Amino acid sequence: MFLDRLLASNRPLAELALAWERDGVVQPDTYLVDLDAVTENATLMQAEAAAHKITLYFMLKQLGRNPVLAHRLREVGLAGAVCVDFREALVMADNGIALGNVGHLVQVPHALMERIVSARPDIMTVYSVEKADEIGRAASALGLDQPIMLRVIGPSDLLYSGQYGGFALDELEAAVDALERVAGVRIAGVCSFPCLLYSEDAGDIVALPNAETVRAAARLLEARGYHDLQLNMPSASCVRSIPKVAALGGTHMEPGHGLTGTTPYHAAHVDAPERVAYAYVSEVSHNLDGRAYCYGGGHYRRGHLAHALVGPSVDAARPVRVTPPTDESIDYHFELSEPCRVSDPVLMCFRTQIFVTRSEVAVVSGLSAGSPRLEGIYDTQGHRLR
């Protein structure tokens, strides 16, 4: 999906990935993340966000919840980490990363509530009065007043499978009545996901009904006397979409794939300012029946993986087609369209969510200056391996 764009916007990363796999610096099934490119992309987004009075929380699940990246993004000026689940919140807190939004896609379980609330998130997203009550009890025990954000759902909103939860817009008034009786929390914002997506028909990032649901919920709260609310409108967050969210009245965004130049918008627009900032590298394992097979482990079923380069360097590599394993199968291998030399490196670049793979993550700095340095190799949950 992004191999051509990687070669056009960040050829040094492609060369390095092949060289480091060939020389044994990294193992097959490794994502190389270019810290310099992530920094450049984030700097562009932060400048655009500041110009439109938008606050950015960074999303790093797609890059393996990596603390090196998180610290760098804080240095750039992004406000903190958005932690879609409790495991990500723990990794960020344990590494001294400021927590922005916690709990948007996965609520915090009760046994971890006090530990996560004690890390002082800017805001915690809630789906129910019961969960708000758990947050309130933990906050009260710590002597805190925890801001919460209500995830709201309108009748026409897009919701992804496995991500259902929140307050129905037509029941929000009653929910707010109940939430106002919960000690230790205060309503400080509303959100939904996704609020924007790339439209192939429009050739651009467009607002979804979810964005209007957020606006309607904010109007209800403002009529009750709430002010300075966070209107969090995530998805497809990048330089292109920041003015669109500002025009919708949004206050916060959560860039993830925008940080690596790998949103669907970037796949379709070669003029997008963000550069591709990661590559996936593997190695040919064997050949069978006119096909080659390389080591797997990094498959993401929505990644649109289709092509690879096989060879010791970009100039010496040849393009092949890739057939990922079927969704009901374990990705032990990726199938390549023709026989290849055993043990040759294999380069790919596709949309990923590293945290759901079993890959390793190698963070490299200094590549933009021609002096690449391995910052470390991490697992997919942000823990340093070596």
Side-chain angles (χ1 to χ4, degrees), residues 95-374:
N95 283 276
I97 308 299
L99 303 185
N101 177 17
V102 173
H104 187 176
L105 296 184
V106 180
Q107 300 282 273
V108 175
H110 75 276
L112 295 173
M113 190 64 75
E114 187 166 328
R115 182 176 171 189
I116 289 175
V117 171
S118 69
R120 305 296 296 271
D122 282 358
I123 203 161
M124 295 182 71
T125 296
V126 296
Y127 291 3
S128 66
V129 175
E130 293 87 349
K131 190 56 66 175
D133 185 64
E134 288 184 6
I135 295 172
R137 282 187 273 117
S140 296
L142 294 164
L144 303 175
D145 182 34
Q146 176 62 52
I148 60 172
M149 181 155 56
L150 312 184
R151 190 186 191 199
V152 290
I153 304 172
S156 301
D157 286 358
L158 170 64
L159 298 176
Y160 291 126
S161 175
Q163 298 180 16
Y164 298 131
F167 299 94
L169 190 58
D170 60 4
E171 299 174 355
L172 186 58
E173 194 90 51
V176 173
D177 287 340
L179 289 166
E180 288 177 342
R181 295 192 291 270
V182 176
V185 300
R186 59 181 176 85
I187 298 171
V190 287
C191 67
S192 180
F193 180 86
C195 288
L196 298 92
L197 283 180
Y198 178 71
S199 165
E200 291 185 1
D201 291 339
D204 203 355
I205 297 167
V206 300
L208 299 175
N210 306 50
E212 180 52 38
T213 298
V214 170
R215 286 155 55 101
R219 290 193 295 268
L220 183 151
L221 290 171
E222 288 164 355
R224 295 179 64 120
Y226 290 90
H227 55 85
D228 298 326
L229 292 169
Q230 178 177 145
L231 275 66
N232 192 307
M233 295 186 180
S235 193
S237 300
C238 60
V239 168
R240 176 68 177 176
S241 59
I242 287 170
K244 297 176 182 291
V245 168
L248 291 166
T251 64
H252 288 66
M253 298 173 69
E254 299 177 348
H257 278 282
L259 296 169
T260 51
T262 52
T263 75
Y265 176 82
H266 295 90
H269 291 265
V270 296
D271 58 341
E274 296 92 349
R275 295 196 293 138
V276 174
Y278 67 75
Y280 178 78
V281 69
S282 186
E283 179 180 299
V284 177
S285 166
H286 60 280
N287 294 290
L288 177 67
D289 295 335
R291 300 284 190 272
Y293 293 84
C294 68
Y295 300 100
H299 178 50
Y300 175 56
R301 62 183 180 274
R302 295 175 59 221
H304 302 286
L305 171 60
H307 300 94
L309 287 179
V310 180
S313 67
V314 171
D315 288 337
R318 73 178 189 272
V320 299
R321 295 187 306 278
V322 183
T323 301
T326 57
D327 288 347
E328 67 270 17
S329 302
I330 298 171
D331 62 330
Y332 291 112
H333 301 95
F334 293 107
E335 181 183 285
L336 308 179
S337 59
E338 58 192 72
C340 299
R341 188 170 64 180
V342 170
S343 298
D344 260 2
V346 181
L347 178 72
M348 308 177 200
C349 192
F350 50 92
R351 187 172 174 87
T352 188
Q353 294 284 348
I354 292 176
F355 82 112
V356 301
T357 74
R358 61 185 188 277
S359 306
E360 292 188 346
V361 181
V363 180
V364 55
S365 64
L367 190 57
S368 62
S371 302
R373 186 173 82 90
L374 181 62

Side-chain angles (χ1 to χ4, degrees), residues 36-65:
D36 295 2
V38 171
T39 302
E40 293 167 16
N41 294 341
T43 300
L44 289 171
M45 272 185 270
Q46 180 63 17
E48 188 74 9
H52 289 87
K53 297 181 171 55
I54 295 285
T55 298
L56 300 180
Y57 294 136
F58 52 84
M59 171 80 71
L60 287 180
K61 64 184 175 68
Q62 79 286 354
L63 291 177
R65 299 167 170 171

